[in-house]
Every structure is written in structure tokens, then in C-alpha cells.
Amino acid sequence: MPADDIVLLSARNSFLVLILLLLGISTYQFYTIQGVTTPVAAMWVTAAGVFYLSKWYYKRNGAAETEKD
């Protein structure tokens, strides 16, 4: 297993922890103030953007590596 795989696995796990924490904060705010504050909503948009950009990036790099082989 290359070292990159360990780094990517760690990053993926960290991102999962961030999403679960964000979900907990959003749920708490929804039940206490009957809504979600702007910073939390902005964090959701940022997290979704990072997810889809990383998905696109690794898909693009994976295609480039298979063309080399």
C-alpha cells in the first residue's frame, strides 16, 4: 500500500468526522432556535463543494494515470 493511500484514508476519515460534527450542530440548532445560523449553512455549502471538487480531482487524476499505463 503506497503512502498516499494512508494519507487519503486519513483525509477521508477526517472529512467524515467534520460532516458528523456539522450534522450534530445543525440538528442542535434546528431544535433549539428553530433554524440554522448562516455560518453553519455556509459551512455545509463549503463541505459539499470540497467533497465534489475532490471527487472530480481524483477522478481526473485517476484517468490520467490509467492513460500512462
Side-chain angles (χ1 to χ4, degrees):
M1 175 183 285
D4 291 341
D5 291 342
I6 294 169
V7 172
L8 291 176
L9 182 62
S10 298
R12 190 177 305 130
N13 290 342
S14 298
F15 191 73
L16 178 62
V17 168
L18 171 68
I19 293 299
L20 291 175
L21 182 63
L22 197 53
L23 182 62
I25 291 170
S26 298
T27 303
Y28 174 76
Q29 283 188 348
F30 185 77
Y31 284 114
T32 56
I33 63 172
Q34 307 303 321
V36 178
T37 60
T38 303
V40 173
M43 187 63 77
W44 271 111
V45 171
T46 303
V50 166
F51 173 77
Y52 284 110
L53 283 173
S54 66
K55 193 173 177 180
W56 170 78
Y57 176 78
Y58 288 112
K59 185 177 188 181
R60 183 179 60 94
N61 276 353
E65 286 179 8
T66 55
E67 288 177 9
K68 286 182 194 177
D69 296 338

